[in-house]
Amino acid sequence: MTYILIFISAIFVNNIVLSQFLGICPFLGISKKINTAVGMTGAVAFVMTISTIITYIIQKTILHPFDIEFLRTITFILVIAALVQLVEIILKKVSPALYQALGVYLPLITTNCIILGVALLVIKKDFNLVQSVVYAISTALGFGLALVLFAGIREQLSMIKLPKGMDGIPAALITAGLLAMAFMGFTGIVK
């Protein structure tokens, strides 16, 4: 039951973009087309899951036992950057088609604050390894859901004529605010 609550909470109730406001930059920048939103979601889910596992293990086996937790943030940033580079190199050699499909998304993930945020949140929430993985996957799905919904709305908005002052970023910000308010309706489901 705990895993189901983590899953529902991370996707709907505490959506990383619409409730916790992490990852706003890719949310606003990558969300102009649905296919780019889906590509970014896949890349983020992959890197987030692996980085959560690695950072959790580093926290529990090195940082906490040796009482050097003050190095957590810098260590996690280095691990995430190295992991993204490693994944990029491996994908380029092993699966060029997948590497081409992900394209520019892999380097962008290094600067995505959602990856670091999830790595820090699983430590703060005192999750075990399995709960951490469920949370990472669920958070990535929540990010993807918000991104794809927003991209779909923005594609529809691009087909209509908006007033000059509302076209572009203003319409996107108002839409993001309305989407965040819609997700607030899930607040009472899970604590």
Side-chain angles (χ1 to χ4, degrees):
M1 187 65 169
T2 304
Y3 301 114
I4 294 171
L5 292 176
I6 291 171
F7 185 78
I8 291 171
S9 175
I11 293 175
F12 298 109
V13 180
N14 297 316
N15 187 287
I16 198 85
V17 176
L18 300 173
S19 294
Q20 298 180 31
F21 306 114
L22 291 174
I24 297 295
C25 188
F27 179 70
L28 293 174
I30 307 287
S31 62
K32 292 181 181 172
K33 295 187 178 194
I34 292 177
N35 60 350
T36 57
V38 171
M40 182 65 160
T41 300
V44 165
F46 180 73
V47 172
M48 186 182 301
T49 305
I50 293 172
S51 67
T52 299
I53 293 168
I54 293 171
T55 56
Y56 180 87
I57 291 169
I58 289 172
Q59 171 67 26
K60 296 299 181 183
T61 60
I62 298 170
L63 299 177
H64 183 71
F66 292 108
D67 199 28
I68 52 173
E69 292 178 336
F70 60 91
L71 294 173
R72 179 185 306 144
T73 304
I74 191 71
T75 304
F76 286 9
I77 289 171
L78 291 173
V79 166
I80 291 166
L83 180 66
V84 169
Q85 291 300 315
L86 183 67
V87 167
E88 191 171 1
I89 291 168
I90 291 171
L91 281 179
K92 196 175 199 177
K93 298 230 185 242
V94 174
S95 178
L98 182 58
Y99 176 76
Q100 288 289 54
L102 292 177
V104 72
Y105 303 128
L106 276 174
L108 286 176
I109 292 170
T110 304
T111 60
N112 192 338
C113 60
I114 293 175
I115 308 296
L116 178 62
V118 169
L120 294 171
L121 283 172
V122 297
I123 302 302
K124 181 182 177 187
K125 294 179 184 229
D126 200 28
F127 286 156
N128 63 34
L129 184 59
V130 177
Q131 289 172 327
S132 299
V133 171
V134 169
Y135 183 74
I137 292 169
S138 304
T139 301
L141 290 174
F143 171 72
L145 175 66
L147 201 62
V148 169
L149 284 173
F150 192 55
I153 293 169
R154 285 184 78 178
E155 279 187 2
Q156 291 297 314
L157 283 175
S158 70
M159 291 187 230
I160 62 172
K161 179 138 176 70
L162 292 171
K164 187 176 181 181
M166 288 296 297
D167 197 24
I169 296 296
L173 291 174
I174 290 170
T175 303
L178 291 171
L179 198 55
M181 287 175 55
F183 270 70
M184 284 175 55
F186 295 114
T187 302
I189 295 176
V190 179
K191 292 201 179 224

